[in-house]
């Protein structure tokens, strides 16, 4: 039953509104507050679907209440109640985010209509938010092997901290997924997650990409531009393939980590940044250090916490789950009817040498779904999954 909060200093009006909403229609639960402060307190401590708020009130007027609601619970619609003198204000509150306004004395039908519409809209907003959360289903981490369970428990512990994390593991094992989880489960999840693929950016551009540049810093720099570190402010920067970063960029990253500030290329002005760094690599950084391609001091700065994602060959018990997961996903995406895998087919897939790890497994499942029979058989696997 949706709860409605009425904030109104005139007892008579409060009573009328409350009566209409709770008696004429028994679908609503009503709470009353005599002024804005009391209203805000109630709003904080309870779940409301809607706020009805008078405009002229002592202590805190309706506009201030509206602004406070927009700050603390922006998804709750606010309907203003306007007296004779403040119709203009009422109209103006719409621009501040009020859902609608009703005039005093309240008209029964208009009131019920407005309330119904506002509650419907709220449901829509909440539903949209839920859908947005679902987008991160893209980063679902399937698996029940010790390796995956350990990674998940590590993420739970590490994500809420500010510690830097280095994620290592072979190609296609899910390092990017781990990085997304770390961000999504952190207090920075409302801030941005900025991904930089250090291997994909030419070495002469990486510094300007990470730190930005000022106009004239180099030939093509025709205006000031912020870099990824600044873009990640109050969020997380994910330095993917960090093992491929040039030594001179490494020196600059090290400096940024030490100082919590960056300098745009061509400028010596320090710009403060509040960024958590997560890095990933499929290279053996110890070896890179030995061979002089990676700075040891940077390694120690990045690898405060080390998460090693195991190769698929080391967690074969996850393969049936992963096959099922990808099969469902692929058939759903391509709008084809569901397909199952025979137990012999699954067993054979479990024995393969998965050098390309989960990414390779996904591709093989896709191929089998397209080419295999209605139930994918051992023969299908032999025919189509060989490399
Ligand atoms: N545990 C998992 N459950 C479901 N899907 C997964 C899992 N791990 C990885 N994947 C999928 O496998 C693919 C490769 O994962 P990802 O890109 O995270 O790997 P990576 O380690 O970053 O690889 P690379 O080193 O090549 O960049 C992605 O499509 C990802 O969604
Ligand atoms: Mg990756």
């Amino acid at each position: 039953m949706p709860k409605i909060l009425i904030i109104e200093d005139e007892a008579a009006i409060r009573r009328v509104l409350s009566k209409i909403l709770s008696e004429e229609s028994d679908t609503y639960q009503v709470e009353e507050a005599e002024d804005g402060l009391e209203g805000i307190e109630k709003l904080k401590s309870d779940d409301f679907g809607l706020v009805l708020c008078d405009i002229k009130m002592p202590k805190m007027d309706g506009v201030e209440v509206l602004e406070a609601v927009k700050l603390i619970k922006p998804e709750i619609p606010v309907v203003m109640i306007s007296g004779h003198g403040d119709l203009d204000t009422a109209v103006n509150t719409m621009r501040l985010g009020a859902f609608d306004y009703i005039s005093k004395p309240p008209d029964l039908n208009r009131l019920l209509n407005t309330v119904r519409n506002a509650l419907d809209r709220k449901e829509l907003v909440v539903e949209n938010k839920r859908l947005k959360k679902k987008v991160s289903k893209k980063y679902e981490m399937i698996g029940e092997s010790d390796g995956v369970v350990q990674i998940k428990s590590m993420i739970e512990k590490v994500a809420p901290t500010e510690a830097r994390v280095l994620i290592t593991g072979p190609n296609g094992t899910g390092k990017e997924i781990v990085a997304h989880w770390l961000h999504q489960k952190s207090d920075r999840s409302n801030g941005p997650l900025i991904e930089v693929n250090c291997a994909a950016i030419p070495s002469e551009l990486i510094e300007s990409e990470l730190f930005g540049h000022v106009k004239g810093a180099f030939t093509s720099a025709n205006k000031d531009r912020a870099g990824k570190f600044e873009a990640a402010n109050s969020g997380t920067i994910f330095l993917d393939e960090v093992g491929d970063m040039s030594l001179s960029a490494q020196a600059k990253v090290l400096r940024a980590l030490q100082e919590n500030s960056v300098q745009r290329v061509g400028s010596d002005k320090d710009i403060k940044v509040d960024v958590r760094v997560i890095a990933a690599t499929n290279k053996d950084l110890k070896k890179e250090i030995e061979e002089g391609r990676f700075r040891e001091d940077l390694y120690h700065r990045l690898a405060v916490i080390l998460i090693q994602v195991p190769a698929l060959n080391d967690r074969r018990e996850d393969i049936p789950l992963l096959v099922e997961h990808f099969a469902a996903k692929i058939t759903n995406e391509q709008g084809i009817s569901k397909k199952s895998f025979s137990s012999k087919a699954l067993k054979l897939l479990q024995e393969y040498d998965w050098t390309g790890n989960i990414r390779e497994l996904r591709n093989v499942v896709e191929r089998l779904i397209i080419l295999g029979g209605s139930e994918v058989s051992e023969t299908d696997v032999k025919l189509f999954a060989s490399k």
Side-chain angles (χ1 to χ4, degrees), residues 140-142 171-177 241 326 358-359:
E140 215 170 356
M141 205 185 305
I142 304 295
N171 280 326
T173 45
K175 296 186 291 297
E176 198 178 323
I177 291 188
E241 317 287 2
F326 289 136
I358 298 183
R359 186 177 292 116

Side-chain angles (χ1 to χ4, degrees), residues 133-362:
K133 271 241 167 75
K134 249 190 166 171
V135 172
S136 57
K137 245 195 143 181
K138 186 170 152 206
Y139 299 107
E140 215 170 356
M141 205 185 305
I142 304 295
E144 289 170 0
S145 60
D146 288 350
V148 173
V149 171
Q150 266 173 30
I151 286 176
K152 284 189 177 169
S153 97
M154 197 129 168
I155 290 173
E156 295 297 332
K157 281 189 215 153
V158 173
T161 73
E162 290 284 292
R164 296 191 193 114
V165 185
L166 177 67
I167 309 162
T168 63
N171 280 326
T173 45
K175 296 186 291 297
E176 198 178 323
I177 291 188
V178 172
H180 278 264
W181 274 53
L182 285 168
H183 175 72
Q184 283 180 10
K185 289 185 171 265
S186 77
D187 298 337
R188 296 176 173 266
S189 62
N190 285 330
L193 170 66
I194 303 290
E195 299 187 55
V196 187
N197 185 338
C198 305
I201 303 166
S203 59
E204 66 275 15
L205 290 183
I206 183 103
E207 288 175 32
S208 133
E209 192 69 23
L210 290 173
F211 305 111
H213 60 247
V214 292
K215 186 177 170 182
F218 42 89
T219 337
S220 58
N222 45 21
K223 59 174 184 223
D224 287 8
R225 188 166 164 263
K228 302 278 190 189
F229 267 89
E230 282 179 67
N233 199 25
S234 83
T236 308
I237 192 165
F238 174 39
L239 302 176
D240 202 0
E241 317 287 2
V242 75
D244 292 275
M245 196 185 273
S246 68
L247 281 165
S248 81
Q250 287 177 35
K252 285 209 158 185
V253 170
L254 179 70
R255 187 183 169 282
L257 300 188
Q258 284 166 337
E259 318 270 319
N260 290 318
S261 67
V262 295
Q263 291 178 345
R264 293 185 179 178
V265 174
S267 153
D268 53 13
K269 203 180 108 207
D270 283 316
I271 301 170
K272 281 267 159 239
V273 286
D274 167 26
V275 172
R276 183 188 193 186
V277 179
I278 296 174
T281 182
N282 51 32
K283 288 199 168 156
D284 178 356
L285 285 189
K286 287 273 155 68
K287 190 167 152 250
E288 297 298 299
I289 292 168
E290 264 167 37
E291 293 175 5
R293 283 190 297 267
F294 203 82
R295 294 181 67 117
E296 184 165 11
D297 45 6
L298 179 60
Y299 175 83
H300 292 297
R301 291 260 167 191
L302 292 175
V304 177
I305 304 284
L306 192 63
I307 296 186
Q308 286 171 294
V309 187
L312 186 55
N313 289 345
D314 296 332
R315 44 168 158 147
R316 294 182 187 273
E317 63 267 47
D318 287 339
I319 290 176
L321 281 178
L322 283 162
V323 171
E324 218 170 89
H325 168 74
F326 289 136
K329 216 169 161 171
I330 291 161
T331 48
N332 184 31
E333 276 167 15
Q334 310 199 352
I336 34 187
S337 53
K338 284 218 163 65
K339 271 195 185 186
S340 58
F341 284 64
S342 78
S343 52
K344 278 187 175 162
L346 284 175
K347 192 155 177 301
L348 195 55
L349 287 172
Q350 246 177 325
E351 289 163 4
Y352 268 72
D353 180 22
W354 295 105
T355 47
N357 293 292
I358 298 183
R359 186 177 292 116
E360 183 185 13
L361 177 66
R362 191 195 192 284

